[in-house]
Amino acid sequence: MKHVPIFAAVAEMATGLALIVAPSMVGQLLLGVPLAEPAATVAGVLDLALLGLGAACWPGPPRLGMLFYSALVTLYLAYAGFSPLPTGPLFWPVVVLHGVLAILLLLTWKRSGSGRA
């Protein structure tokens, strides 16, 4: 039973990586149709959430999973924001919010020493 969280972490991270590598194919396999924009962009955030969930399930500080997720979402959305894809009025505020959260999580993780507090 002690290996269940590790199995869950590996499964979620594998799904997240599959969504990074081939989001349209994963959509085809799961939903029966390939993902089109903007669904592929949303899938990009989902894959990062799954990677963060996997990191949170991995033995160690759960805060690391949220830090991992927030940092990756910040980078991914910033990258997407500079692409020709359309963005809505809340797009950049969400990028900034995730960036601030990542910085705050990093600071609290470092201050706690082990990252467990």
Side-chain angles (χ1 to χ4, degrees):
M1 287 301 255
K2 71 178 186 171
H3 298 294
V4 172
I6 295 171
F7 175 76
V10 170
E12 295 304 337
M13 293 177 104
T15 304
L17 289 173
L19 280 165
I20 288 172
V21 173
S24 189
M25 183 178 75
V26 172
Q28 179 73 39
L29 292 171
L30 292 176
L31 306 171
V33 295
L35 298 180
E37 289 301 333
T41 301
V42 173
V45 174
L46 173 62
D47 63 26
L48 299 174
L50 291 172
L51 290 173
L53 181 61
C57 289
W58 201 261
R63 188 175 312 164
L64 183 60
M66 263 329 279
L67 170 59
F68 189 70
Y69 170 72
S70 288
L72 288 178
V73 166
T74 302
L75 294 173
Y76 175 78
L77 288 178
Y79 174 78
F82 289 110
S83 75
L85 297 174
T87 60
L90 291 180
F91 184 86
W92 286 107
V94 166
V95 174
V96 171
L97 175 65
H98 277 286
V100 169
L101 285 173
I103 291 167
L104 292 173
L105 286 164
L106 180 63
L107 291 173
T108 60
W109 185 53
K110 284 185 167 250
R111 283 190 186 140
S112 69
S114 68
R116 295 193 183 274

